[in-house]
Amino acid sequence: MSAPSPADFVPSEDNLDPADWEAFRAIGHRMFDDMVDFMAGIRERPVWQPMPVDKRAELKAPSLPHEAGSLNDTYDAFQRLVAPHIAGNIHPRFLGWVQGGGNPVGVLAEMLAATLNGNLGGRDHAPIEVERQVIKWSAEMVGFPETTTGVLVTGTSVANLIALLVARTQALGIDVRKDGLAGHKLVAYTSPATHNCVLRAMDMAGLGTQALRLIPYDARHQIRLDLLTEAIATDRAAGLQPFMVIGTAGAVDTGAVDDLAALARLCKQEGLWFHVDAAFGALAMLSPAQRPLLDGISEADSIAFDFHKWAQVPYDAGCVLVRDGEKHAAAFSTHVNYLKRETRGLAAGHPWPTDFGPDLSRGFRALKVWMTLQVYGADKLGQVVANCCDLAQQLAARVAAEPELELLAPVALNVACFRFKASNKPLDALNTDIVIALQESGIAVPSTTNVNGQLAIRAAFVNHRTRAEDIDILIDAILETGRRLG
Ligand SMILES: *Cc1c(COP(=O)(O)O)cnc(C)c1O
């Protein structure tokens, strides 16, 4: 419960700072105390609860607020209307999609970063050195060499797009940046386990989604090397230009990891760019038990991954790494007068982050990553990864032991796909209804996916707060709901 409201915020007459910094301090302390309670009590809250119609209506303003308002009232609206109706991914029983749980050190880092209000597009200042350090640590994590460059972005969707543009520029030569793609015959390869953002990257890069060949996977959901080799030969014979293979390390549906070492060898033989979408899987490099699954990732030309998933950094923080930094800059660096580089002064520090991606202005995302890594240490994050994978195995064992449930895909990493089967009703619709009922109950949030044509209840273990007891709560709720609806 909050302490009584402090005196309201009053801005200075001539700028946006408070007229009274001590009053501002009191308001801030109260907010911080409330957020500590919120984090500490998260397990006791519903995972998710739909936002009621009246609250949605209350949040809708009739027009742009022109007059000054009250900070205390605005904060009250945040507490009543916003905070109770979050998606719930900080909760230990949020198991839907693949979402990170955030962490308290990251919360503090967000406040520090906002205070400095850094713009990390370029120039010579310490926040960029922090980002460079994060990129260096990331390269070390995946076994990339000193030549590696990288940049923090919103997420793996953008990181994949950046990697694709680097690979495209390598394949067609730097003139593609001026001439465009006219008449290109580029084709790329991945498996149907790929994330939709890879298709979107093909679309946004102008290559078209049809130029992405979806090579079937085997029973373990790993791309079939024999069919991949065949497809490359067929495309070459047809006069097309194969240029890139996208391996998946942690498929979004099942957690499957491609045979990355074999893909790396094949790409070397065929002269193709080897990119790995390791959105959450990359963090498995920090866990000795899971690391062998990613053998070969250090041979890639580029890797995309997220800090906001398994590394528990608050949203948003994704990363792209390119093994050969010169190739990375070749795809993005430009020279314009107002961004001229110097060897001294604030315009020093070449190359700048803007040379490695589409953004110019960028926030100080790196601080929350840097602080999370410094304070918890990579080994502890690796333990979170190992624990999540253990939980997925425990869930699979519990599913196998329950006659009313069945497992729909092997558990490779941290994702389990299963369904309630003890009903004569159509199972796809029934399992969809079970998941929705569970979400609405606030007890647990799994999501759904389709595995080999069957609707699956999907539980992804990503959150550092999840424990073994949460699996029992989830399964008991699924059995109870299945029996009731089935
Ligand atoms: C989450 C995910 C993405 C997309 O990443 P964003 O951070 O949401 O942009 C891409 N690929 C895989 C395998 C993912 O799990």
Side-chain angles (χ1 to χ4, degrees), residues 98 154-158 160 193-198 248-252 277-280 306 308-309 315 317-318:
V98 179
T154 45
T156 292
S157 301
V158 169
N160 279 332
T194 199
H195 193 278
N196 181 249
C197 68
V198 173
T248 307
V252 65
D277 176 348
F280 59 97
D306 281 319
H308 57 217
K309 289 178 176 169
Y315 283 87

